[in-house]
Structure formats: C-alpha cells, structure tokens
Amino acid sequence: MDALITAAARFLAAGDALSALQRVALRDDAPALALRGIAMAQLGEHPRARELLRQAAKAFGPKEAVARARSIVAEAEVALAMRDLGDPTRPLLQAAATLDAHDDRANALQARLIAARRLILLGRLDEAAEALPTQDVDDAPPMLGAMVGLASAELAMRALRSGDARIAIERALVAAQRSGVAALMAEANDLRASLDHPAARRVDGGQVRPLRLDDVEALLASSLLVVDACRRAIRGAGLHVDLARRPVLFALARVLAESWPGDADRATLILRAFRTRYADETHRARLRVELGRLRALIDPVARIEATHKGFALRVADEHAVTLLVPPMEGETASLLALLADGAAWSTSALAMALVASQRTVQRALAELEAAGRVRAIGQARAKRWLAPPMTGIATILLLPAQPPAG
C-alpha cells in the first residue's frame, strides 16, 4: 500500500473525508476508488459513493478477494442508508463468507448485520432472524455490538417478545455508550421509551383501551379469542389463523368481533367484506360461502351461527372475544410508520416493503403530500420521501410483517 492510500485511510478512520479526498481524488486505481467511495458516503453523497464502490469492487483483481468483499459490504451499507432495497442478498452473504475465511470477523459481522437490517425493513422477519449474527458479537467493536442489539430488539418487539426486547435494548445501550456514538445512544433510548407508548388498542363493545406492547403480549397469551387487526389474524385460545392474504375473511371476522356478543346484520357484513351497498342474491350467496370458509378455520374454538338478523360469533363459556386494532388506522398508516424512521425513502423501496404496486404507493404519497404529512426531495428517479416522526405511539405494530411463504 502506497503512502497516499495509507494517509487517506487514516483520515477516513478519523472522520476527515475532505483530507482523504485530497490525497486520492485524481486516482482511479481500485484502492483509491474504494477510499473515494467511503469518503463520499461520509459526506452524504450516497449515489456517487455507490458508483465508486461498485467500480472498486470490479477493479480489484482475483488475488484481492478481501478488498473486493469489503467494497461490496461498503456499497451495501450505502444502499441501505439510501433505502435502496432491491439488490439481492446473495453477493453480500458471499462477501461475508470471504471475510470470515480471511479472519476479518468485524467486516463479516457488518455484512450479515446489513443483510438482516435490510430484511427487517422489508418485513421478512423470519429470514431476518436467521440472518442476524449471534456469534462473535461480544468480541465485536462496540458500535457493531450496539447495532446488532438494536436490530435484535426490533425483531423481538415485532415478534411480541417485550422481555427479550428490553434485554436487547439494555445491551445495545451499554455498547452504544462504550462506542461513544451519540446517535446510537439516542436510538437505543428512543426504542426503550417506545415500550411504554401505546402500541395498539383493545376494543370491547365499543369501549377502547390503549395497550402497550407487553399488554398486547399478555392479551394474546390469555384465553380470549382475539381478532387481531394489527397482523390480520385470529389468535388466542390456542388458535392462530393468519388471514393476511385473505382480506374478505378478515373483514368478516372483524365485523363479527365488533358485534360480539350480539350478531352482525347481513348488510353490514356485505358492505365491509365486498364494499358494496347494493346487495343482491349473488352477494348473499357469496356471503354464505365466505362465512363457511371462516367457520371451518375457527371451528375448533368458535362457531358462526345464523340469526334472524344476520350472523353471530359464538365461543365456549370459558372464552370471550375481543378486537385488537393498531394505534392508527387507515391505508396510509403503514406508509407513515415506515417514513417515520427519518430516512429518505424511494417510492420503489416503499412499494417493496409494503408489497404493493408503485402506482398504489405513488397515489398514497400524493394524497399525503397534499395534506402536508410528507414531503419530497429530489426529482425523477432521485426523488425521495420524508415524514416527521410519530410521537406518543409505538409504530412497531404498524410496520409491515410479511407472513412466511407457503
């Protein structure tokens, strides 16, 4: 390594990106490209940083596998900061394996952490839990240890394991204090405070009560039958029916839960499930079919009985029915929860995280912009969206969580 590269690397390690650029700005060899990319990332010029790091990864020769792997990891970190979530995970994990093979544990840990954080943003929580590094964390640099702790806490909170989340947050806070990075300490403190904010609401006979995350956890572990509008499922009393991909059945379950212990009339069921006020015999026939499907799914615990007025949900005496709804409802709630992380999101990344079309997301963003709830920066493909943080509520149950495939 020549003297200029060594000097530039030292300036970058000290956070002096401009001095580093002064030494390598006119060079196009692979090490210089990599250092220029890192410097541009430190200056917030993320698109240019990605381009330089990609060039560096291609320019390193076959005998420079470690340098190439580090460039891939650095580019992936910049892509994550840009909320560009479209790149495949495999090259990053291959880079992690290469770094592991050459005993570069810290950068290998960083690569796996980036992969896990990307999966968390996409709501692919089972895959994120598998990807999240659990070994070599104690010996890792404090900053990396704090980031692993924060990712572990978020996964635990989304899985409704508030006890595990508190432990992970405390570990993250200790590591953040050791690292001296104020942003990590603030993030850990914010996450800890969110555990005391309302994460959902419980609705019983029109009465609404706010629930913290540990209250939600206790509710789902009780003998109550819970129609969960946060995750679109029916849970509790030994039952777990995922209806995230069956919106009609979930709409029917929600109306029946809202009416429990009474019955729901047919017109309301048809309106909420099929979104029409003009019901005819075909709608009534379809309603009977859909209720038959729902009845088969909940049969071990509950029944759906026809009444003079419509239909009613019946459970055994030892059970009761309750409805769990998110702290904020509406089709844009998940969109605002994603944007509340303070990062600038592209429309395509939001669409990927929400598993929606870009056109649908664009329409929602246009409505929110007109209402002054989001703002755009940049133009055309460089356009990004920002929103202020949500205060007073925990957004964890508003964030998307894709059910496992299959």
Tab-separated table of all heavy atoms in Angstrom, residues 143-183:
chain	number	residue	atom	x	y	z
A	143	MET	N	-19.515	-0.295	18.505
A	143	MET	CA	-20.528	0.264	17.596
A	143	MET	C	-21.310	-0.851	16.901
A	143	MET	O	-22.543	-0.799	16.797
A	143	MET	CB	-19.864	1.166	16.554
A	143	MET	CG	-20.862	1.934	15.709
A	143	MET	SD	-20.075	3.167	14.659
A	143	MET	CE	-19.293	2.115	13.452
A	144	LEU	N	-20.590	-1.882	16.440
A	144	LEU	CA	-21.273	-3.015	15.804
A	144	LEU	C	-22.143	-3.752	16.810
A	144	LEU	O	-23.270	-4.172	16.497
A	144	LEU	CB	-20.246	-3.974	15.202
A	144	LEU	CG	-19.831	-3.727	13.763
A	144	LEU	CD1	-18.807	-4.774	13.339
A	144	LEU	CD2	-21.045	-3.782	12.855
A	145	GLY	N	-21.638	-3.916	18.034
A	145	GLY	CA	-22.421	-4.590	19.069
A	145	GLY	C	-23.724	-3.848	19.350
A	145	GLY	O	-24.779	-4.469	19.535
A	146	ALA	N	-23.649	-2.509	19.364
A	146	ALA	CA	-24.866	-1.725	19.590
A	146	ALA	C	-25.856	-1.899	18.448
A	146	ALA	O	-27.067	-2.030	18.664
A	146	ALA	CB	-24.490	-0.250	19.743
A	147	MET	N	-25.344	-1.917	17.230
A	147	MET	CA	-26.244	-2.064	16.073
A	147	MET	C	-26.893	-3.438	16.054
A	147	MET	O	-28.076	-3.575	15.717
A	147	MET	CB	-25.460	-1.803	14.787
A	147	MET	CG	-24.976	-0.358	14.663
A	147	MET	SD	-23.785	-0.093	13.331
A	147	MET	CE	-24.821	-0.317	11.922
A	148	VAL	N	-26.148	-4.478	16.418
A	148	VAL	CA	-26.735	-5.827	16.496
A	148	VAL	C	-27.806	-5.851	17.591
A	148	VAL	O	-28.888	-6.426	17.412
A	148	VAL	CB	-25.648	-6.874	16.779
A	148	VAL	CG1	-26.276	-8.234	17.085
A	148	VAL	CG2	-24.709	-7.003	15.580
A	149	GLY	N	-27.525	-5.204	18.735
A	149	GLY	CA	-28.505	-5.163	19.820
A	149	GLY	C	-29.787	-4.461	19.405
A	149	GLY	O	-30.894	-4.917	19.722
A	150	LEU	N	-29.666	-3.364	18.676
A	150	LEU	CA	-30.849	-2.630	18.228
A	150	LEU	C	-31.674	-3.455	17.240
A	150	LEU	O	-32.909	-3.481	17.307
A	150	LEU	CB	-30.432	-1.305	17.583
A	150	LEU	CG	-29.861	-0.260	18.547
A	150	LEU	CD1	-29.279	0.918	17.788
A	150	LEU	CD2	-30.959	0.218	19.498
A	151	ALA	N	-30.979	-4.143	16.338
A	151	ALA	CA	-31.709	-4.987	15.382
A	151	ALA	C	-32.402	-6.147	16.105
A	151	ALA	O	-33.544	-6.500	15.785
A	151	ALA	CB	-30.748	-5.515	14.315
A	152	SER	N	-31.713	-6.734	17.097
A	152	SER	CA	-32.326	-7.826	17.870
A	152	SER	C	-33.558	-7.328	18.624
A	152	SER	O	-34.579	-8.020	18.699
A	152	SER	CB	-31.313	-8.398	18.867
A	152	SER	OG	-30.180	-8.895	18.196
A	153	ALA	N	-33.461	-6.115	19.176
A	153	ALA	CA	-34.603	-5.563	19.915
A	153	ALA	C	-35.794	-5.329	19.002
A	153	ALA	O	-36.932	-5.640	19.368
A	153	ALA	CB	-34.177	-4.247	20.580
A	154	GLU	N	-35.529	-4.806	17.809
A	154	GLU	CA	-36.651	-4.561	16.894
A	154	GLU	C	-37.313	-5.872	16.482
A	154	GLU	O	-38.545	-5.962	16.415
A	154	GLU	CB	-36.175	-3.801	15.652
A	154	GLU	CG	-37.332	-3.471	14.719
A	154	GLU	CD	-36.966	-2.519	13.616
A	154	GLU	OE1	-35.851	-1.971	13.654
A	154	GLU	OE2	-37.813	-2.314	12.719
A	155	LEU	N	-36.500	-6.889	16.221
A	155	LEU	CA	-37.079	-8.195	15.873
A	155	LEU	C	-37.920	-8.739	17.017
A	155	LEU	O	-39.016	-9.271	16.799
A	155	LEU	CB	-35.956	-9.178	15.527
A	155	LEU	CG	-35.513	-9.233	14.076
A	155	LEU	CD1	-34.351	-10.207	13.927
A	155	LEU	CD2	-36.667	-9.667	13.178
A	156	ALA	N	-37.416	-8.617	18.251
A	156	ALA	CA	-38.167	-9.119	19.408
A	156	ALA	C	-39.466	-8.353	19.582
A	156	ALA	O	-40.514	-8.945	19.902
A	156	ALA	CB	-37.300	-9.011	20.665
A	157	MET	N	-39.440	-7.051	19.373
A	157	MET	CA	-40.660	-6.258	19.516
A	157	MET	C	-41.677	-6.640	18.451
A	157	MET	O	-42.868	-6.759	18.730
A	157	MET	CB	-40.316	-4.769	19.422
A	157	MET	CG	-39.529	-4.259	20.629
A	157	MET	SD	-38.895	-2.587	20.433
A	157	MET	CE	-40.401	-1.624	20.556
A	158	ARG	N	-41.225	-6.853	17.229
A	158	ARG	CA	-42.179	-7.227	16.181
A	158	ARG	C	-42.744	-8.622	16.421
A	158	ARG	O	-43.852	-8.934	16.005
A	158	ARG	CB	-41.484	-7.179	14.819
A	158	ARG	CG	-41.136	-5.786	14.389
A	158	ARG	CD	-41.347	-5.657	12.904
A	158	ARG	NE	-40.554	-4.589	12.349
A	158	ARG	CZ	-40.548	-4.296	11.068
A	158	ARG	NH1	-41.253	-5.012	10.220
A	158	ARG	NH2	-39.833	-3.300	10.612
A	159	ALA	N	-41.979	-9.469	17.104
A	159	ALA	CA	-42.462	-10.810	17.432
A	159	ALA	C	-43.228	-10.829	18.754
A	159	ALA	O	-43.576	-11.909	19.239
A	159	ALA	CB	-41.282	-11.775	17.503
A	160	LEU	N	-43.462	-9.642	19.336
A	160	LEU	CA	-44.207	-9.505	20.599
A	160	LEU	C	-43.519	-10.253	21.732
A	160	LEU	O	-44.160	-10.948	22.513
A	160	LEU	CB	-45.655	-9.985	20.422
A	160	LEU	CG	-46.499	-9.142	19.458
A	160	LEU	CD1	-47.859	-9.775	19.262
A	160	LEU	CD2	-46.626	-7.730	19.968
A	161	ARG	N	-42.202	-10.106	21.819
A	161	ARG	CA	-41.428	-10.651	22.946
A	161	ARG	C	-40.797	-9.446	23.652
A	161	ARG	O	-39.630	-9.129	23.471
A	161	ARG	CB	-40.370	-11.636	22.446
A	161	ARG	CG	-40.964	-12.921	21.859
A	161	ARG	CD	-39.895	-13.926	21.438
A	161	ARG	NE	-39.283	-13.591	20.179
A	161	ARG	CZ	-38.060	-13.117	20.024
A	161	ARG	NH1	-37.291	-12.919	21.068
A	161	ARG	NH2	-37.585	-12.831	18.827
A	162	SER	N	-41.616	-8.755	24.450
A	162	SER	CA	-41.163	-7.500	25.043
A	162	SER	C	-40.028	-7.720	26.049
A	162	SER	O	-39.147	-6.868	26.193
A	162	SER	CB	-42.333	-6.778	25.710
A	162	SER	OG	-42.972	-7.626	26.641
A	163	GLY	N	-40.042	-8.851	26.759
A	163	GLY	CA	-38.958	-9.133	27.704
A	163	GLY	C	-37.615	-9.249	26.992
A	163	GLY	O	-36.608	-8.651	27.422
A	164	ASP	N	-37.587	-10.018	25.900
A	164	ASP	CA	-36.349	-10.147	25.115
A	164	ASP	C	-35.939	-8.786	24.538
A	164	ASP	O	-34.749	-8.471	24.444
A	164	ASP	CB	-36.543	-11.151	23.981
A	164	ASP	CG	-36.719	-12.571	24.499
A	164	ASP	OD1	-36.366	-12.814	25.667
A	164	ASP	OD2	-37.222	-13.423	23.739
A	165	ALA	N	-36.936	-8.000	24.151
A	165	ALA	CA	-36.634	-6.686	23.579
A	165	ALA	C	-35.947	-5.788	24.614
A	165	ALA	O	-34.977	-5.096	24.296
A	165	ALA	CB	-37.917	-6.030	23.074
A	166	ARG	N	-36.448	-5.810	25.857
A	166	ARG	CA	-35.838	-4.969	26.895
A	166	ARG	C	-34.384	-5.378	27.148
A	166	ARG	O	-33.507	-4.527	27.308
A	166	ARG	CB	-36.654	-5.077	28.190
A	166	ARG	CG	-38.005	-4.398	28.117
A	166	ARG	CD	-38.746	-4.469	29.439
A	166	ARG	NE	-40.135	-4.066	29.286
A	166	ARG	CZ	-40.540	-2.798	29.260
A	166	ARG	NH1	-39.652	-1.840	29.412
A	166	ARG	NH2	-41.818	-2.504	29.111
A	167	ILE	N	-34.127	-6.689	27.176
A	167	ILE	CA	-32.752	-7.158	27.401
A	167	ILE	C	-31.841	-6.695	26.255
A	167	ILE	O	-30.731	-6.194	26.482
A	167	ILE	CB	-32.742	-8.694	27.528
A	167	ILE	CG1	-33.473	-9.117	28.806
A	167	ILE	CG2	-31.311	-9.222	27.531
A	167	ILE	CD1	-33.712	-10.612	28.904
A	168	ALA	N	-32.324	-6.846	25.015
A	168	ALA	CA	-31.511	-6.448	23.854
A	168	ALA	C	-31.253	-4.943	23.857
A	168	ALA	O	-30.159	-4.489	23.498
A	168	ALA	CB	-32.220	-6.866	22.566
A	169	ILE	N	-32.260	-4.172	24.255
A	169	ILE	CA	-32.080	-2.712	24.279
A	169	ILE	C	-31.030	-2.319	25.320
A	169	ILE	O	-30.184	-1.453	25.065
A	169	ILE	CB	-33.430	-2.018	24.575
A	169	ILE	CG1	-34.366	-2.168	23.378
A	169	ILE	CG2	-33.214	-0.538	24.878
A	169	ILE	CD1	-35.787	-1.716	23.651
A	170	GLU	N	-31.083	-2.943	26.494
A	170	GLU	CA	-30.093	-2.606	27.524
A	170	GLU	C	-28.682	-2.948	27.056
A	170	GLU	O	-27.736	-2.193	27.284
A	170	GLU	CB	-30.422	-3.341	28.833
A	170	GLU	CG	-31.719	-2.874	29.486
A	170	GLU	CD	-31.767	-1.368	29.702
A	170	GLU	OE1	-30.728	-0.787	30.089
A	170	GLU	OE2	-32.830	-0.767	29.460
A	171	ARG	N	-28.528	-4.105	26.394
A	171	ARG	CA	-27.207	-4.461	25.854
A	171	ARG	C	-26.768	-3.451	24.797
A	171	ARG	O	-25.597	-3.054	24.740
A	171	ARG	CB	-27.261	-5.867	25.247
A	171	ARG	CG	-27.350	-6.977	26.293
A	171	ARG	CD	-27.433	-8.332	25.626
A	171	ARG	NE	-27.454	-9.418	26.597
A	171	ARG	CZ	-27.760	-10.669	26.318
A	171	ARG	NH1	-28.065	-11.002	25.069
A	171	ARG	NH2	-27.756	-11.595	27.256
A	172	ALA	N	-27.723	-3.055	23.951
A	172	ALA	CA	-27.393	-2.081	22.906
A	172	ALA	C	-26.977	-0.744	23.522
A	172	ALA	O	-26.050	-0.091	23.037
A	172	ALA	CB	-28.595	-1.880	21.983
A	173	LEU	N	-27.652	-0.360	24.588
A	173	LEU	CA	-27.336	0.922	25.221
A	173	LEU	C	-25.944	0.901	25.842
A	173	LEU	O	-25.177	1.869	25.704
A	173	LEU	CB	-28.390	1.226	26.296
A	173	LEU	CG	-28.423	2.645	26.850
A	173	LEU	CD1	-28.542	3.675	25.733
A	173	LEU	CD2	-29.565	2.806	27.836
A	174	VAL	N	-25.594	-0.216	26.489
A	174	VAL	CA	-24.249	-0.333	27.081
A	174	VAL	C	-23.185	-0.260	25.974
A	174	VAL	O	-22.179	0.459	26.098
A	174	VAL	CB	-24.128	-1.645	27.875
A	174	VAL	CG1	-22.682	-1.898	28.290
A	174	VAL	CG2	-25.028	-1.603	29.105
A	175	ALA	N	-23.418	-1.000	24.888
A	175	ALA	CA	-22.446	-0.994	23.787
A	175	ALA	C	-22.368	0.393	23.147
A	175	ALA	O	-21.279	0.852	22.777
A	175	ALA	CB	-22.840	-2.041	22.743
A	176	ALA	N	-23.529	1.067	23.006
A	176	ALA	CA	-23.529	2.408	22.405
A	176	ALA	C	-22.744	3.386	23.272
A	176	ALA	O	-22.014	4.241	22.758
A	176	ALA	CB	-24.964	2.887	22.220
A	177	GLN	N	-22.890	3.265	24.595
A	177	GLN	CA	-22.130	4.151	25.490
A	177	GLN	C	-20.633	3.887	25.379
A	177	GLN	O	-19.827	4.806	25.408
A	177	GLN	CB	-22.624	3.959	26.922
A	177	GLN	CG	-24.015	4.534	27.155
A	177	GLN	CD	-24.636	4.095	28.461
A	177	GLN	OE1	-24.190	3.124	29.068
A	177	GLN	NE2	-25.691	4.778	28.880
A	178	ARG	N	-20.255	2.611	25.235
A	178	ARG	CA	-18.832	2.289	25.059
A	178	ARG	C	-18.303	2.852	23.752
A	178	ARG	O	-17.151	3.260	23.658
A	178	ARG	CB	-18.630	0.778	25.106
A	178	ARG	CG	-18.774	0.178	26.512
A	178	ARG	CD	-18.679	-1.338	26.453
A	178	ARG	NE	-17.463	-1.774	25.781
A	178	ARG	CZ	-17.348	-2.937	25.138
A	178	ARG	NH1	-18.382	-3.759	25.073
A	178	ARG	NH2	-16.219	-3.262	24.572
A	179	SER	N	-19.166	2.841	22.718
A	179	SER	CA	-18.709	3.337	21.413
A	179	SER	C	-18.594	4.863	21.397
A	179	SER	O	-17.849	5.421	20.587
A	179	SER	CB	-19.689	2.893	20.317
A	179	SER	OG	-20.897	3.627	20.393
A	180	GLY	N	-19.379	5.520	22.251
A	180	GLY	CA	-19.355	6.980	22.263
A	180	GLY	C	-20.124	7.607	21.117
A	180	GLY	O	-20.030	8.822	20.907
A	181	VAL	N	-20.904	6.822	20.369
A	181	VAL	CA	-21.678	7.360	19.239
A	181	VAL	C	-23.031	7.843	19.766
A	181	VAL	O	-23.878	7.039	20.171
A	181	VAL	CB	-21.869	6.288	18.142
A	181	VAL	CG1	-22.679	6.861	16.981
A	181	VAL	CG2	-20.506	5.812	17.647
A	182	ALA	N	-23.234	9.149	19.736
A	182	ALA	CA	-24.443	9.732	20.329
A	182	ALA	C	-25.705	9.255	19.611
A	182	ALA	O	-26.743	9.041	20.246
A	182	ALA	CB	-24.348	11.253	20.290
A	183	ALA	N	-25.629	9.101	18.280
A	183	ALA	CA	-26.819	8.695	17.520
A	183	ALA	C	-27.300	7.314	17.955
A	183	ALA	O	-28.511	7.061	18.047
A	183	ALA	CB	-26.516	8.706	16.027
